[in-house]
Amino acid sequence: MYIKKIAPVVGLSLMMALSACASGGNESIKNETGASIDQKIHDGTTTKEQVRQLFGDPAQTSFTDSGHEQWQYAFDNSKADAANFIPVYGDLHQGQHGTAKHLTIIFNGDVVWHHSMNSSAVKSSAGLF
């Protein structure tokens, strides 16, 4: 009898916990750090094809003012704030926190000229307050 009463609460809690996470972008940089990227990419040596084999196609490509091709990779991972689940308050305010990773690679011809990996904490909110 006790299980029949608690099962809906456990089910709802599990659904809320699973829906509280979101991620997007290039999964290949999900677990990367500046140090791990530096071990894989070497300025003046690593080629475009090697970068493509490591990380796949970039999310964005562009060119610098000096004409160098630039590839950008991004991955965002966020979780809902616990306060989102407080009755009434959660209906009026929604927040998320997590990390955003960005890998930028600039090529000189077919070889990496410079590269940079950044990871930063991000927070967003929406609602009446």
Side-chain angles (χ1 to χ4, degrees):
M1 178 112 173
Y2 175 73
I3 292 177
K4 287 184 180 181
K5 290 182 180 179
I6 193 91
V9 173
V10 171
L12 182 60
S13 297
L14 183 59
M15 285 188 331
M16 288 173 55
L18 291 175
S19 67
C21 299
S23 63
N26 190 312
E27 294 264 339
S28 68
I29 66 168
K30 177 180 180 179
N31 297 315
E32 298 291 351
T33 64
S36 68
I37 291 293
D38 287 345
Q39 291 175 356
K40 295 175 181 177
I41 298 176
H42 303 281
D43 295 351
T45 304
T46 306
T47 66
K48 281 184 186 179
E49 187 55 36
Q50 289 170 322
V51 171
R52 197 179 303 275
Q53 287 174 0
L54 288 168
F55 306 110
D57 290 325
Q60 265 188 322
T61 60
S62 61
F63 291 90
T64 65
D65 290 341
S66 58
H68 293 96
E69 189 172 1
Q70 179 173 291
W71 290 6
Q72 294 183 5
Y73 296 84
F75 183 79
D76 298 324
N77 188 18
S78 63
K79 296 177 181 155
D81 293 343
N84 293 355
F85 304 105
I86 298 172
V88 180
Y89 179 81
D91 295 334
L92 301 174
H93 176 82
Q94 293 288 301
Q96 292 186 335
H97 64 280
T99 56
K101 293 184 176 188
H102 298 277
L103 171 61
T104 302
I105 304 167
I106 301 173
F107 294 95
N108 185 14
D110 286 335
V111 178
V112 173
W113 186 41
H114 293 294
H115 72 280
S116 173
M117 174 73 174
N118 299 310
S119 180
S120 59
V122 292
K123 184 162 179 61
S124 64
S125 61
L128 295 177
F129 52 91

